[in-house]
Amino acid sequence: MWRWDRWGTVDYDGPAVGQAQVIRRLSGSMARGAALVGGVTSLICIVVATVAEGLPGLYGAGLGGLLATGSALLTPALMLRTTHLEPGAVMLASFGGLAAKAILLLLALFTLGGAPALHRTSLAVTLLAVFVTTTAAEAWAGSKLKILIGAEPDSSNV
Protein backbone atom coordinates (compact mmCIF):
# COMPACT_ATOMS: atom_id res chain seq x y z
CA MET A 1 0.00 0.00 0.00
CA TRP A 2 1.20 3.53 -0.67
CA ARG A 3 0.26 7.02 0.42
CA TRP A 4 1.08 10.56 -0.68
CA ASP A 5 3.22 12.82 1.43
CA ARG A 6 2.92 16.59 1.42
CA TRP A 7 5.57 16.97 -1.32
CA GLY A 8 3.64 14.88 -3.82
CA THR A 9 5.95 11.90 -3.59
CA VAL A 10 4.65 8.43 -2.85
CA ASP A 11 5.64 6.72 0.38
CA TYR A 12 5.24 2.96 0.10
CA ASP A 13 4.79 0.77 3.15
CA GLY A 14 7.44 -1.73 2.16
CA PRO A 15 10.84 -1.42 0.57
CA ALA A 16 11.26 -1.72 -3.18
CA VAL A 17 12.75 -5.09 -4.14
CA GLY A 18 14.62 -5.52 -7.40
CA GLN A 19 15.75 -2.99 -9.98
CA ALA A 20 12.52 -2.87 -11.99
CA GLN A 21 10.38 -2.15 -8.93
CA VAL A 22 12.86 0.44 -7.65
CA ILE A 23 12.95 2.27 -10.99
CA ARG A 24 9.16 2.20 -11.38
CA ARG A 25 8.63 3.59 -7.88
CA LEU A 26 11.39 6.14 -8.25
CA SER A 27 10.26 7.44 -11.62
CA GLY A 28 6.62 7.63 -10.51
CA SER A 29 7.55 9.48 -7.36
CA MET A 30 9.85 11.81 -9.30
CA ALA A 31 7.14 12.58 -11.86
CA ARG A 32 4.51 13.34 -9.21
CA GLY A 33 6.86 15.50 -7.17
CA ALA A 34 8.11 17.42 -10.21
CA ALA A 35 4.58 17.99 -11.53
CA LEU A 36 3.33 19.26 -8.18
CA VAL A 37 6.30 21.51 -7.44
CA GLY A 38 6.50 22.69 -11.06
CA GLY A 39 2.84 23.63 -11.07
CA VAL A 40 3.06 25.57 -7.82
CA THR A 41 6.26 27.36 -8.86
CA SER A 42 4.73 28.19 -12.25
CA LEU A 43 1.64 29.69 -10.63
CA ILE A 44 3.75 31.86 -8.33
CA CYS A 45 5.85 33.08 -11.27
CA ILE A 46 2.73 33.74 -13.37
CA VAL A 47 1.15 35.87 -10.64
CA VAL A 48 4.33 37.87 -10.04
CA ALA A 49 5.00 38.37 -13.77
CA THR A 50 1.41 39.41 -14.45
CA VAL A 51 1.46 41.99 -11.67
CA ALA A 52 4.85 43.32 -12.75
CA GLU A 53 4.55 43.23 -16.55
CA GLY A 54 0.89 42.72 -17.47
CA LEU A 55 -0.17 40.43 -20.32
CA PRO A 56 3.32 39.94 -21.82
CA GLY A 57 4.49 38.81 -18.37
CA LEU A 58 1.53 36.45 -18.09
CA TYR A 59 2.25 34.93 -21.49
CA GLY A 60 5.99 34.66 -20.88
CA ALA A 61 5.67 33.10 -17.43
CA GLY A 62 2.80 30.86 -18.51
CA LEU A 63 4.71 29.48 -21.47
CA GLY A 64 7.87 29.14 -19.38
CA GLY A 65 6.02 27.22 -16.67
CA LEU A 66 4.35 24.94 -19.18
CA LEU A 67 7.60 24.16 -21.00
CA ALA A 68 9.68 23.68 -17.85
CA THR A 69 7.11 21.53 -16.03
CA GLY A 70 6.56 19.44 -19.14
CA SER A 71 10.28 18.94 -19.66
CA ALA A 72 10.64 17.90 -16.01
CA LEU A 73 8.69 14.75 -16.89
CA LEU A 74 11.34 13.77 -19.45
CA THR A 75 13.74 12.24 -16.91
CA PRO A 76 11.18 9.92 -15.24
CA ALA A 77 9.89 8.87 -18.68
CA LEU A 78 13.40 7.98 -19.85
CA MET A 79 14.02 6.06 -16.64
CA LEU A 80 10.83 4.04 -17.16
CA ARG A 81 11.91 3.17 -20.70
CA THR A 82 15.19 1.74 -19.37
CA THR A 83 13.75 -0.30 -16.49
CA HIS A 84 14.76 -3.62 -18.05
CA LEU A 85 18.35 -2.53 -18.84
CA GLU A 86 21.49 -2.58 -16.72
CA PRO A 87 21.79 -0.04 -13.86
CA GLY A 88 24.41 1.94 -15.78
CA ALA A 89 21.95 2.47 -18.64
CA VAL A 90 19.33 3.74 -16.20
CA MET A 91 21.84 6.19 -14.71
CA LEU A 92 22.84 7.32 -18.20
CA ALA A 93 19.18 7.84 -19.12
CA SER A 94 18.67 9.86 -15.94
CA PHE A 95 21.66 12.08 -16.68
CA GLY A 96 20.65 12.31 -20.33
CA GLY A 97 17.19 13.45 -19.28
CA LEU A 98 18.65 16.21 -17.13
CA ALA A 99 21.00 17.36 -19.90
CA ALA A 100 18.28 17.20 -22.57
CA LYS A 101 15.93 19.16 -20.30
CA ALA A 102 18.50 21.94 -19.86
CA ILE A 103 19.22 22.08 -23.60
CA LEU A 104 15.52 22.14 -24.50
CA LEU A 105 14.83 24.98 -22.08
CA LEU A 106 17.75 27.01 -23.40
CA LEU A 107 16.58 26.47 -26.98
CA ALA A 108 13.08 27.55 -25.98
CA LEU A 109 14.42 30.67 -24.31
CA PHE A 110 16.53 31.71 -27.29
CA THR A 111 13.90 30.94 -29.93
CA LEU A 112 10.84 32.27 -28.10
CA GLY A 113 12.50 35.08 -26.16
CA GLY A 114 12.30 37.50 -29.05
CA ALA A 115 8.55 37.13 -29.57
CA PRO A 116 6.85 40.52 -29.15
CA ALA A 117 3.91 39.13 -27.16
CA LEU A 118 6.20 37.55 -24.52
CA HIS A 119 8.15 39.27 -21.78
CA ARG A 120 11.60 37.70 -22.14
CA THR A 121 12.64 38.13 -18.50
CA SER A 122 9.42 36.53 -17.23
CA LEU A 123 10.02 33.60 -19.56
CA ALA A 124 13.64 33.23 -18.45
CA VAL A 125 12.99 33.56 -14.72
CA THR A 126 10.10 31.09 -14.84
CA LEU A 127 12.13 28.57 -16.85
CA LEU A 128 15.00 28.82 -14.37
CA ALA A 129 12.84 28.74 -11.23
CA VAL A 130 10.80 25.75 -12.38
CA PHE A 131 13.93 23.92 -13.60
CA VAL A 132 15.64 24.33 -10.23
CA THR A 133 12.60 23.45 -8.11
CA THR A 134 11.58 20.41 -10.17
CA THR A 135 15.14 19.10 -10.12
CA ALA A 136 15.15 19.50 -6.34
CA ALA A 137 11.77 17.73 -6.15
CA GLU A 138 13.15 14.83 -8.18
CA ALA A 139 16.13 14.57 -5.84
CA TRP A 140 13.78 14.68 -2.83
CA ALA A 141 11.73 11.85 -4.31
CA GLY A 142 14.87 9.76 -4.72
CA SER A 143 15.88 10.30 -1.12
CA LYS A 144 12.46 9.17 0.17
CA LEU A 145 12.51 5.75 -1.54
CA LYS A 146 13.24 2.70 0.59
CA ILE A 147 15.41 0.20 -1.31
CA LEU A 148 16.20 -3.39 -0.35
CA ILE A 149 19.64 -4.29 -1.68
CA GLY A 150 20.22 -7.91 -2.57
CA ALA A 151 19.00 -10.58 -4.94
CA GLU A 152 15.41 -10.44 -6.08
CA PRO A 153 13.20 -13.00 -4.30
CA ASP A 154 12.29 -14.79 -7.54
CA SER A 155 15.86 -14.92 -8.92
CA SER A 156 17.69 -18.18 -9.48
CA ASN A 157 20.63 -17.12 -7.26
CA VAL A 158 18.98 -18.64 -4.19
Side-chain angles (χ1 to χ4, degrees):
M1 189 65 183
W2 54 273
R3 64 185 185 280
W4 291 76
D5 68 2
R6 66 179 174 184
W7 299 105
T9 56
V10 174
D11 186 19
Y12 296 89
D13 287 339
V17 179
Q19 177 180 328
Q21 189 178 25
V22 168
I23 298 303
R24 279 193 296 272
R25 284 188 185 182
L26 179 60
S27 62
S29 189
M30 287 171 62
R32 283 184 288 277
L36 176 69
V37 170
V40 170
T41 305
S42 296
L43 286 175
I44 292 169
C45 289
I46 287 169
V47 168
V48 170
T50 303
V51 168
E53 296 298 328
L55 279 179
L58 170 71
Y59 297 147
L63 183 61
L66 183 66
L67 290 172
T69 303
S71 71
L73 303 176
L74 179 65
T75 302
L78 287 174
M79 289 174 62
L80 272 179
R81 298 286 298 165
T82 59
T83 299
H84 62 284
L85 299 177
E86 294 294 318
V90 178
M91 289 189 291
L92 183 61
S94 177
F95 177 72
L98 178 66
K101 181 175 24 178
I103 291 169
L104 286 172
L105 295 180
L106 281 173
L107 286 173
L109 176 62
F110 290 126
T111 56
L112 299 172
L118 300 176
H119 185 248
R120 184 181 179 115
T121 304
S122 298
L123 176 67
V125 168
T126 304
L127 286 173
L128 181 63
V130 174
F131 178 78
V132 169
T133 57
T134 55
T135 302
E138 290 173 347
W140 177 268
S143 71
K144 300 275 292 176
L145 189 64
K146 298 176 195 166
I147 300 172
L148 179 62
I149 297 175
E152 294 184 38
D154 59 351
S155 70
S156 60
N157 295 342
V158 180

